[in-house]
Amino acid sequence: MKEAKRNPAWHFAIFVALLWFLPSAQVTSAETKVAISHIVIGPNQVPLWIAHEQGLFAKHGTDAQLLHETTTGDFQFRVFGTPAMIAAVAAGRDLKVLVSLDSGRITSHLMARPDVKTPDDLRGKRFGVTRTGTGFWIFSILALEHLGLDPKRDRITFVEVGGDVPRLVQALEAGEIDMAMLDPAQGNQLRAKGFSLLLDMSPVNISAVQQALVVNGAYLREHPDVVEKVVAGLVEGIAFSLSPAKKDTILKTLMAHLNISVPAAVESGYRAFLARVNRKPYGSVAAMRNVQRVMALNDPKVLNVKVEDLVEDRFVRKLDESGVIDRLYSTYGVK
């Protein structure tokens, strides 16, 4: 029997099919899918957005999906304030801080209705917070302490409005609350509308809440290699965000995520980010202890948490001591 004649077109089709499937297989093996949820929307989140949108997580081998969630259920990774983490650990969760995106120094503005002109006018007023016990509530307590005001003595009522920073702005503009602690970007936007700036916390130099990348303890133990890749991507996101050459990209990112369009307000948010960003992003135990002290006013059981045990800095330390972080800053032109 004669051998069947090979069809060149058939061979070409097989070759194309192989080319189609091989890249997909390579990507699947090279990039591990991870979910990173985040709750707070503010300038400190810039490196997270940048690492995702500029492909830096992918560059380091992870296919990261960002989820804006307000729930506190199970997760692999989450970027949120250390108060929420401390509260979760006090309730029995197993969590570790991997990366601190900011120094913890408070740069927020205490903003009030146009008719509230001085700190004395705050007595008997409604202080808006996202939720009692969380970051902006802690900022509020520390701001009142600095002004010599006491919520009970001075009849200051805390009103939970839910959501995040844009929701606080909305509540203040709608008259649902009389005052709120806001990021400088939103604060300056409101000042342009006639609202009162009663306190700029930047010169006060108080350390408190840090926005941190937190990992589920079980996931950390089972997938340390993936955790290392996520940390590397986020650390490069910090370097990118600090690059003077990338400023326009950062401003556009702030405008999009913070929903602000006033150029001065965007610039203010950018300066606030630069003032707070953590160049060597280790978690600060001192800042977490200050947070814990204030949280205990509302929830005494948080004092049972050993905050020094919450920081897992081996991945950042590896990048730091190997010179990777310094080389990233050099590559991105960061001085």
Side-chain angles (χ1 to χ4, degrees):
M1 181 181 290
K2 291 184 179 180
E3 183 178 347
K5 186 177 180 181
R6 292 182 175 86
N7 186 337
W10 182 83
H11 284 286
F12 180 75
I14 294 294
F15 177 72
V16 170
L18 287 173
L19 289 179
W20 176 263
F21 286 109
L22 281 174
S24 176
Q26 289 171 352
V27 169
T28 301
S29 63
E31 295 184 1
T32 303
K33 291 184 180 297
V34 297
I36 306 175
S37 61
H38 63 115
I39 300 175
V40 177
I41 303 296
N44 298 327
Q45 306 268 341
V46 164
L48 174 68
W49 300 326
I50 287 296
H52 179 247
E53 294 167 10
Q54 300 298 319
L56 302 182
F57 285 127
K59 174 181 175 180
H60 291 276
T62 59
D63 179 8
Q65 179 185 11
L66 297 192
L67 307 173
H68 184 216
E69 297 181 339
T70 57
T71 61
T72 56
D74 289 335
F75 57 85
Q76 295 174 331
F77 299 90
R78 172 166 284 170
V79 173
F80 62 166
T82 47
M85 179 195 180
I86 292 172
V89 173
R93 299 291 298 277
D94 178 14
L95 306 174
K96 298 290 183 182
V97 169
L98 297 170
V99 176
S100 174
L101 293 175
D102 61 278
S103 64
R105 188 168 68 87
I106 303 174
T107 58
S108 301
H109 288 176
L110 173 53
M111 301 299 300
R113 291 186 344 225
D115 58 310
V116 178
K117 302 295 186 183
T118 70
D120 286 341
D121 295 335
L122 298 178
R123 292 181 172 86
K125 297 297 191 297
R126 301 163 298 171
F127 208 135
V129 295
T130 53
R131 188 162 58 85
T132 301
T134 57
F136 281 92
W137 175 80
I138 291 171
F139 292 165
S140 304
I141 294 290
L142 293 172
L144 291 175
E145 285 182 356
H146 180 73
L147 294 172
L149 296 170
D150 179 85
K152 290 184 179 179
R153 183 195 66 208
D154 297 310
R155 299 170 291 106
I156 296 171
T157 304
F158 287 103
V159 178
E160 294 183 335
V161 301
D164 46 31
V165 182
R167 173 66 185 117
L168 281 173
V169 174
Q170 183 184 56
L172 189 55
E173 288 187 306
E176 299 171 27
I177 56 177
D178 302 308
M179 54 188 159
M181 295 294 290
L182 301 174
D183 286 318
Q186 286 92 350
N188 282 319
Q189 184 162 279
L190 286 177
R191 287 183 72 186
K193 298 179 180 180
F195 285 76
S196 301
L197 171 62
L198 297 185
L199 177 64
D200 178 356
M201 292 290 283
S202 298
V204 178
N205 198 27
I206 295 176
S207 293
V209 178
Q210 293 182 300
Q211 291 294 313
L213 174 67
V214 173
V215 67
N216 181 291
Y219 190 87
L220 170 64
R221 290 187 292 274
E222 295 168 8
H223 305 285
D225 55 328
V226 179
V227 174
E228 184 172 7
K229 293 174 183 178
V230 172
V231 170
L234 186 56
V235 168
E236 184 162 354
I238 295 173
F240 185 109
S241 302
L242 285 169
S243 172
K246 306 295 185 182
K247 181 178 178 180
D248 285 346
T249 299
I250 305 305
L251 293 178
K252 290 176 182 177
T253 301
L254 283 168
M255 291 175 67
H257 287 274
L258 298 184
N259 192 28
I260 52 180
S261 57
V262 178
V266 179
E267 184 69 28
S268 177
Y270 177 68
R271 290 197 303 270
F273 162 71
L274 294 179
R276 291 195 60 175
V277 67
N278 209 359
R279 292 173 64 105
K280 295 293 178 76
Y282 296 100
S284 169
V285 172
M288 291 173 70
R289 282 181 176 147
N290 196 30
V291 164
Q292 187 183 40
R293 173 187 70 82
V294 178
M295 290 178 68
L297 299 174
N298 179 63
D299 183 9
K301 71 175 180 288
V302 300
L303 294 176
N304 296 326
V305 175
K306 295 182 179 179
V307 294
E308 61 271 19
D309 294 339
L310 303 185
V311 178
E312 175 54 88
D313 64 5
R314 60 178 149 137
F315 303 104
V316 170
R317 190 169 300 283
K318 180 179 178 180
L319 294 171
D320 187 12
E321 294 180 350
S322 65
V324 169
I325 295 178
D326 289 336
R327 287 196 293 274
L328 280 172
Y329 287 147
S330 177
T331 299
Y332 282 99
V334 180
K335 296 182 180 179

